[in-house]
Amino acid sequence: MKKTGKVLSLTAGMVLASAFVAPSASAAAFAYHGYDVAYTSYYDRGLVACDKEKDGNYVYAEGRYWHPSNQVMVLRVDDGEDEHCDNDYITYPIYQIRICESRVGCSPWRQVS
């Protein structure tokens, strides 16, 4: 009986400890166009554009967000043709993203959760 009491006590302690775990940071949302990628960062207030193809096409990411004036605004991050990533940050959370490539088109808008 004593062993059972200890096990129950340990189990209750684990349940209580798990209730106090800090919430995790928001997960990034991704949009792809071929190997090029756009994703959110910084609690969905950052937008990153990555040109991952050596094809000479210009790449940019777009993120839609609500402005306090009740207008849908678009944050655009240009990455160019340098095969690296560029980013920008805004005050308001982004709710949709897409990645675009010159002469090729854009990915569908991707909802940010």
Side-chain angles (χ1 to χ4, degrees):
M1 264 225 200
K2 235 177 184 180
K3 284 183 181 179
T4 307
K6 286 182 183 178
V7 171
L8 287 176
S9 190
L10 247 174
T11 305
M14 287 189 288
V15 169
L16 283 175
S18 66
F20 293 104
V21 173
S24 62
S26 69
F30 293 85
Y32 295 94
H33 193 272
Y35 289 105
D36 302 323
V37 62
Y39 60 91
T40 57
S41 64
Y42 192 64
Y43 298 96
D44 298 333
R45 287 163 165 49
L47 181 61
V48 181
C50 300
D51 187 352
K52 297 293 188 181
E53 300 169 333
K54 289 184 178 183
D55 58 7
N57 291 334
Y58 186 84
V59 170
Y60 62 94
E62 293 180 329
R64 290 179 176 162
Y65 64 95
W66 283 101
H67 190 271
S69 63
N70 257 352
Q71 294 178 337
V72 175
M73 306 293 284
V74 175
L75 170 66
R76 180 174 165 151
V77 177
D78 297 315
D79 187 45
E81 306 168 24
D82 59 7
E83 299 178 54
H84 296 288
C85 299
D86 291 309
N87 61 66
D88 199 359
Y89 299 92
I90 57 173
T91 305
Y92 312 104
I94 297 167
Y95 70 90
Q96 285 182 329
I97 62 171
R98 71 178 179 176
I99 184 84
C100 300
E101 188 174 4
S102 66
R103 300 186 297 262
V104 181
C106 298
S107 69
W109 285 101
R110 167 99 161 94
Q111 195 70 28
V112 176
S113 54

